[in-house]
Amino acid sequence: MTGFILAGGKSSRMGCEKALLPIGSHTLIEHVCQRLRPFVERVVVVGNAHNAQFLRDVRSADAVLIDLAPEHGPLMGIYTGLMHTETPLNLFVPCDMPWVEWRLVERLLRACRDDVEAVASLHPVEGVQPFPLVCDASACRTIGALLDRGERSLQALLRRPRTQLVTVDEPGLWQSFRNINTLADYAKLAEATVAR
């Protein structure tokens, strides 16, 4: 399995490049890289033309890709990753999700079968959680067709018949779904990291 970290967004709610925010002696994206490293063979960052130069300095990543088309959201980041993957299974996590747990990834992997292209989570209260997302390499064709039709929403993939949603009813795993969107979120993460 290859681990892809999506870092092509504008970070508009944060007001700065969130992937490069310092967390202790690392950046946020390096923190996510280290989180994924034990799960996967390679960690690949998918960025955009504006931040690719900075992302190439991320020491924890094995490679950096640039979205094949700009301004198309996470669906394009996933497509870009799948166009370059060398493994049948692929894990996608945004650069602002630092708490992804292996137990959750294992649950998603158990749902991977020959007739399933993508697996995401279903929170019993908050509904569909698109990330972390596990995709079979074969999902590349489906996502390409969605993009060709002008679809940019990840929900379009999650509604497909070959997408499986795994109900995650263990509260201990719900933190995996949290992300860093605002300076207040960032302050909490930085505080928790220093406390450790």
Side-chain angles (χ1 to χ4, degrees):
M1 185 165 65
T2 301
F4 290 96
I5 300 176
L6 303 177
K10 294 181 177 178
S11 302
S12 51
R13 279 183 283 181
M14 185 66 74
C16 61
E17 185 65 58
K18 72 169 83 171
L20 304 176
L21 288 169
I23 303 291
S25 59
H26 302 288
T27 60
L28 177 56
I29 195 166
E30 286 171 334
H31 185 82
V32 178
C33 283
Q34 290 169 359
R35 193 78 177 190
L36 296 194
R37 177 66 64 190
F39 314 161
V40 297
E41 291 179 27
R42 298 177 72 227
V43 175
V44 178
V45 173
V46 183
N48 59 49
H50 303 294
N51 66 9
Q53 179 180 345
F54 305 108
L55 294 175
R56 287 192 179 98
D57 293 333
V58 175
R59 298 183 301 268
S60 309
D62 297 306
V64 175
L65 301 173
I66 298 174
D67 278 340
L68 292 173
E71 313 271 329
H72 279 67
L75 200 58
M76 180 57 73
I78 295 165
Y79 181 68
T80 300
L82 292 176
M83 284 292 288
H84 291 87
T85 191
E86 297 174 5
T87 57
L89 291 177
N90 303 276
L91 173 65
F92 292 89
V93 175
C95 68
D96 63 356
M97 285 184 73
W99 292 288
V100 174
E101 288 194 33
W102 175 242
R103 286 187 303 140
L104 175 59
V105 176
E106 277 186 319
R107 291 279 308 275
L108 301 180
L109 289 172
R110 283 200 296 271
C112 293
R113 302 183 308 270
D114 288 346
D115 60 336
V116 173
E117 289 183 334
V119 182
S121 302
L122 186 64
H123 188 290
V125 177
E126 297 176 7
V128 175
Q129 302 295 312
F131 296 108
L133 177 72
V134 175
C135 285
D136 188 275
S138 64
C140 187
R141 182 176 296 141
T142 298
I143 296 171
L146 290 171
L147 290 165
D148 285 345
R149 290 204 307 261
E151 278 289 355
R152 295 188 182 189
S153 170
L154 186 51
Q155 296 303 321
L157 173 65
L158 299 179
R159 289 192 298 264
R160 301 287 299 177
R162 295 186 66 189
T163 294
Q164 178 81 37
L165 296 178
V166 175
T167 300
V168 179
D169 47 18
E170 302 95 320
L173 293 178
W174 294 347
Q175 177 145 311
S176 291
F177 303 132
R178 288 183 51 210
N179 56 9
I180 307 296
N181 279 320
T182 64
L183 288 172
D185 295 335
Y186 167 60
K188 284 181 192 169
L189 173 62
E191 225 173 80
T193 304
V194 169
R196 277 188 291 161

